[in-house]
Each structure stands twice: as C-alpha cells, then as structure tokens.
Amino acid sequence: MAANTPTLDEAEKARWLRKLDRATAAHEKTRRQLDQLVADAREAGVPLTAISEHTPYSREWARRIAARVTAARAEDQQSDSGSA
C-alpha cells in the first residue's frame, strides 16, 4: 500500500533539499564546536558526569569524544611542527 506522500515538482523538491543541506551543514558545524568544548572541559578537569548532564552525550560518549578530539589535536600539532 502506498503512503500518502504528497507529490512534489522538481523545483519544490530542490528547495527542500537546499533547506536540508543548509540545516545539515549548520548541525555539523555546531556538533564539531560542541565536541571541541567537551574535550576542552575534560582537559580542564570537568568530570564526565557533569559534562553528560549538560550535553546530549552519555559519560561514555563524552569520554570517547574528548579522547578523539584530543588525539586529533595532538596529531595536528605533530604535523604542524614537522612541516615547520
């Protein structure tokens, strides 16, 4: 049985897809910023429990994100110092 999905012309579909693209780009940028703040807070000594209470992340996800961001920063620093 077919769903009751309205049919769109190509122009309308393109408008919706542009809106989705813009929202996705904004979401990705904000997510990167949040991940970096999680890592900064963790490096400053904020407990994982507190981070998880103020973000949409569990303690485990906050720990993983902080570790990933910290490792990426260290790698960036190594590559910057190696090319200088």
Side-chain angles (χ1 to χ4, degrees):
M1 180 180 241
N4 290 332
T5 304
T7 57
L8 300 174
D9 62 24
E10 287 301 313
E12 177 109 9
K13 179 181 173 184
R15 281 192 294 277
W16 279 108
L17 293 177
R18 283 192 301 274
K19 287 181 184 183
L20 289 169
D21 288 343
R22 285 192 302 271
T24 298
H27 173 76
E28 289 173 353
K29 179 181 177 186
T30 303
R31 172 81 184 260
R32 280 190 304 274
Q33 291 171 338
L34 178 58
D35 289 357
Q36 291 172 357
L37 286 172
V38 165
D40 293 344
R42 189 68 186 126
E43 288 175 17
V46 178
L48 289 170
T49 302
I51 293 171
S52 71
E53 290 171 353
H54 292 270
T55 64
Y57 303 135
S58 67
R59 286 182 3 217
E60 181 62 20
W61 274 104
R63 184 190 64 75
R64 288 179 185 185
I65 288 165
R68 178 181 44 81
V69 170
T70 300
R73 287 175 176 170
E75 188 176 301
D76 287 346
Q77 285 180 344
Q78 285 180 346
S79 65
D80 287 347
S81 64
S83 63

